[in-house]
Amino acid sequence: MAALLVFIVFLVCIAGSVPIGVSMIVGSFAPIFSMGKGGSIEQLLNNTFSGANSTPILAVPLFILGGVIMAEGGISRKLFNFFAYFVGKIPGGVPCAVILTCLFYGAISGSGPATTAAVGAMCIPFMIDLGYNKTWAAGLISVAGGLGVIIPPSIPFVLYSLATGVSTGALFLGGVIPGIMIGVFLMVYAVFYCVTKGEDRTLIRAKMDELGSNGFMPLFLESLPALLCPVIILGGIYTGFFTPTEAAVVSVFYAILVSLFVYKSIKVSDLMGFLTASVKTYGGLAFVLAFATAFGRVLSLTKATKVVEKFILGNFHTGWSALAVCAIIFLILGMVMDTGPAIIILAPVLLPAMEELGVDPVHFGVVLVCCLSIGLATPPFGLDMFVAGNISGDQPMSVARKSVPFIIAFLIALVLIVFVPTISTFLPNLLK
């Protein structure tokens, strides 16, 4: 009964538009005040502070700060120019270069909205100038931007690791192949669209010739610092040179050095503004993370996790069937709930039952993040959809309609990811 009360109060608060963090605290208080279960107020406060006082959690604001600096430093343009040099002249090559830029920029920012904003601000006007429909371009960016939370280093993977104790490094590796595969499916549709609907090949070819007029080597050298960023960060993690949290620190300093001294696209005076923007972005999430620890403790004391586990094991007898149903639930939740809170709330509650059914915890985390990343481009609250619409000057629902074929391509890839666990587990198992 106490476990049910926690969920009822929490859901009622969410339905009443109460912020996620406050809803978790109110839900945590409910069984303590009404039934004397779920610990004490003192324990609740202690758990809240301990949730915020964590070294691994520092990776989240630092990756956010690194992404902000790189976005303002114009690194996305360097990446796009590099990829456009190779694929820009083929049919559908420009949209493919945009998707490749999102893939690679995701390996720098770790955030879907940050990837959408940084790549979209440069690529949407560029595509419009080349004759592409501006709403279609925004739809492409809104879906491809979601790759930023799948390709490592990924902030949602860090949150999943914090919530469940699963290795952050293993999760980062687990997201590599799925992220690339989703990107390939998006590119296949982009090429199909451009071949069937047509492009201004003369204008595109002239623009690509202008882009590569100085030859490959100058373009490569100009793009090299941007290309090296994910290599340094991920290489350092997997060689054991530094931890994921330390990698976040490295990403910040590397972003500053490249943007300040190599590209000279920012000034020292700009750094305080970047810090302010990062704190504003992280502030709300920090409260959610702190309250989530207390909420999880109350769920444990009221045996809510055991109730959920018993329900799943009583109704599902195979891992793939339970995972398929969970994926549908995640897809729906992604439309109405932000990625971070959804992971913090759902992952520790569902993972024990999924492990009982033989689902690999890394695979479960990858499926969870992939499903929620689609929600970033879907109404009513898809953040990437709003970001892309703001850049293109379109209404969010117009962007959502144009993004439907890209979402379908994403979903086809997702089905393969759900039912072929090796796609997620191959690299983590290979490098154990």
Side-chain angles (χ1 to χ4, degrees), residues 75 85 116 120 126 130 138 171 183 200 203 209 248 267 290 298 325-326 337 363 384-385 426 428:
I75 288 178
Y85 179 87
T116 302
F126 183 82
L130 292 179
L171 289 164
D200 189 336
L203 182 60
D209 287 340
K267 303 175 183 177
V298 171
V325 172
C326 284
M337 187 180 289
H363 179 52
D384 287 1
M385 175 184 68
F426 176 72

Side-chain angles (χ1 to χ4, degrees), residues 322-390:
L323 190 58
V325 172
C326 284
I328 294 172
I329 294 171
F330 298 155
L331 287 170
I332 296 170
L333 283 175
M335 298 179 184
V336 297
M337 187 180 289
D338 194 25
T339 305
I343 290 171
I344 294 164
I345 295 166
L346 292 173
V349 174
L350 296 173
L351 184 58
M354 302 306 293
E355 286 186 296
E356 280 288 324
L357 291 171
V359 177
D360 186 280
V362 171
H363 179 52
F364 181 67
V366 170
V367 170
L368 172 57
V369 171
C370 287
C371 291
L372 293 173
S373 71
I374 293 180
L376 292 170
T378 54
F381 302 120
L383 188 54
D384 287 1
M385 175 184 68
F386 284 94
V387 172
N390 185 57

Side-chain angles (χ1 to χ4, degrees), residues 97-185:
V98 172
I99 294 168
L100 287 169
T101 303
C102 288
L103 270 169
F104 218 87
Y105 193 85
I108 295 173
S109 73
S111 165
T115 301
T116 302
V119 179
M122 184 272 298
C123 288
I124 290 177
F126 183 82
M127 293 180 72
I128 293 171
D129 288 342
L130 292 179
Y132 291 95
N133 179 279
K134 68 171 184 174
T135 314
W136 184 83
L140 161 64
I141 290 289
S142 70
V143 178
L147 296 171
V149 301
I150 303 170
I151 294 293
S154 159
I155 292 173
F157 279 147
V158 174
L159 298 178
Y160 179 86
S161 176
L162 289 169
T164 62
V166 178
S167 165
T168 306
L171 289 164
F172 282 178
L173 281 174
V176 173
I177 297 178
I180 293 173
M181 190 172 79
I182 293 167
V184 169
F185 275 70

Side-chain angles (χ1 to χ4, degrees), residues 45 173 211:
L45 293 174
L173 281 174
L211 188 110

